[in-house]
Amino acid sequence: MGAKVAVIYYSATGSVHTLAEAIAAGAADAGAEVRLRRVPELAPDSAIDANPAWRAHVEATPHVELATHEDLLWADAYALGSPTRYGNVAAQLKQFIDTTGGLWAQGLLANKAATAFTSAANAQGGNESTLLALYNTFYHWGAFIVPPGYTDPKIFAARGNPYGVGHPGSEGGPSEATLAVARYQGHRLATVAARLVDSPALVAYAGQA
């Protein structure tokens, strides 16, 4: 049985969007049903217009549906993506996360597989700390974190980040090596999620709550 995977992200100039598409493709290759969703843009037009790449990306992606709580309830697994903001999660994605308290309080986000991805201006611009910040959310949700680790040679070819795919945005769009890791990470997430869905022990224990 294939898993249901929600890939939910925020992207300003397009790098995280490209990674999100690759993660979604990898999950689909593993037999998952996938929803690719973006969160709303919160920045004012004056800020967006000051960066032509930001404005171009906003205008190029209205076809991507906005994320809702229903996407989280539907999914067996989550992949959350954000560019770094001072080594932390962008406000746009964080705002969406901060609306999920009611779901969390009911235990509706627990026992699902989860992973994260990001992009910074350069290789040491906060990619790892942003991924770890996203994983803090998953700890509170009670999700099962699924990092890529060092489980495939592709990870070493893309600079070996075991926490999740991270792209140095100053190098332009994600390289093919980075996109290969993103596809692998999505495939791994969907594979683990499918095992959780099919786990009689997990289902039986959850039924005792």
Side-chain angles (χ1 to χ4, degrees):
M1 175 180 173
K4 294 178 289 187
V5 176
V7 182
I8 298 174
Y9 72 96
Y10 170 69
S11 186
T13 58
S15 292
V16 176
H17 169 77
T18 301
L19 294 175
E21 290 183 317
I23 285 179
D29 286 344
E33 183 180 353
V34 181
R35 290 185 182 180
L36 180 66
R37 299 289 189 264
R38 61 185 173 90
V39 298
E41 178 61 78
L42 304 178
D45 284 338
S46 58
I48 297 171
D49 289 338
N51 184 336
W54 194 351
R55 171 54 67 190
H57 179 67
V58 168
E59 295 182 353
T61 54
H63 62 284
V64 182
E65 294 184 40
L66 291 176
T68 67
H69 288 178
E70 194 276 329
D71 295 313
L72 295 174
L73 296 173
W74 166 86
D76 302 310
Y78 316 120
L80 298 187
S82 170
T84 70
R85 292 294 182 264
Y86 301 113
N88 215 319
V89 183
Q92 288 85 343
L93 183 63
K94 187 62 166 59
Q95 192 275 339
F96 176 77
I97 291 170
D98 286 349
T99 68
T100 63
L103 303 181
W104 163 81
Q106 299 176 70
L108 298 175
L109 305 176
N111 299 331
K112 302 186 181 188
T115 199
F117 55 102
T118 189
S119 176
N122 53 64
Q124 305 300 328
N127 279 335
E128 289 184 0
S129 62
T130 300
L131 293 171
L132 293 172
L134 285 167
Y135 290 156
N136 284 338
T137 294
F138 298 148
Y139 296 141
H140 285 261
W141 285 359
F144 297 103
I145 296 174
V146 184
Y150 291 112
T151 57
D152 189 277
K154 298 181 188 69
I155 295 156
F156 292 97
R159 303 183 183 180
N161 186 339
Y163 305 103
V165 65
H167 166 62
S170 59
E171 299 180 0
S175 68
E176 181 50 43
T178 299
L179 293 176
V181 173
R183 289 189 290 269
Y184 171 75
Q185 189 171 339
H187 189 282
R188 178 174 165 83
L189 175 70
T191 300
V192 171
R195 293 178 180 177
L196 291 173
V197 169
D198 292 338
S199 171
L202 181 61
V203 173
Y205 185 80
Q208 296 174 18

